[in-house]
Amino acid sequence: MSGLLPLNLPLLLANVGTDPVSAAIQSRGMVLATLVVLVLMSVLSWFVIGARVWALVNLRRQVAVFRAAFLTHADLTAAAEALRGHVALPHFKLLVAVLKELARDPRGDLDPDMDNVERTMRRAAEPLVEDLESGLGLLGTVASAAPFIGLFGT
């Protein structure tokens, strides 16, 4: 221990400079390229996050209105006619898919085959869920790659 030179830590920190903005501006080559890539990935991620939050808040508000209007009707066909203003909502698309499946039933019973209705709803829901999940792959890629890119820059 006595062979090590004594370090004057405050003097060492004063000479290094702790301003990250000036360090970023003075950086060259691979460090600067890495920093630019990380900043672009961050901006893109925040854009996707903001867009998803905005879309989900709007969807939640529209779905609340849709549900309130839907529950006032006892008949599915009457509800679909009354809710034509909500054509873009996933709930309306599911309602239309169920009505089409019920119309296909040759028996016209009041007790439809619920397995077919359930399969129809699952098929109709797949693209709707994909729309709701858009951008999540990018966020996952950025989240898993950014630490390694940051280490590459150091």
Side-chain angles (χ1 to χ4, degrees):
M1 201 67 180
S2 62
L4 294 177
L5 295 173
L7 292 176
N8 189 349
L9 195 57
L11 182 63
L12 183 64
L13 289 177
N15 289 335
V16 170
T18 57
D19 182 25
V21 175
S22 65
I25 292 172
Q26 293 173 1
S27 65
R28 299 278 186 258
M30 190 55 67
V31 174
L32 184 60
T34 303
L35 184 63
V36 168
V37 167
L38 288 173
V39 167
L40 289 175
M41 288 170 58
S42 176
V43 168
L44 185 61
S45 295
W46 282 109
F47 176 76
V48 169
I49 291 168
R52 298 309 318 145
V53 166
W54 179 264
L56 291 175
V57 166
N58 284 338
L59 181 64
R60 179 175 282 190
R61 189 177 325 115
Q62 292 173 352
V63 165
V65 171
F66 179 88
R67 273 192 196 145
F70 179 77
L71 293 175
T72 61
H73 297 86
D75 182 34
L76 286 179
T77 309
E81 289 296 324
L83 295 169
R84 283 197 180 271
H86 300 281
V87 175
L89 283 180
H91 290 63
F92 185 81
K93 292 176 183 176
L94 290 175
L95 176 62
V96 168
V98 167
L99 287 174
K100 285 181 182 177
E101 178 61 32
L102 292 176
R104 279 187 27 193
D105 189 11
R107 300 173 298 172
D109 292 340
L110 294 176
D111 186 24
D113 185 9
M114 292 311 287
D115 290 334
N116 288 342
V117 172
E118 184 178 346
R119 274 194 301 275
T120 299
M121 287 184 71
R122 286 184 195 271
R123 263 194 316 267
E126 285 176 8
L128 303 174
V129 170
E130 287 176 10
D131 287 344
L132 291 174
E133 292 177 346
S134 67
L136 294 183
L138 174 75
L139 292 178
T141 302
V142 168
S144 64
F148 297 109
I149 294 172
L151 287 173
F152 180 69
T154 60

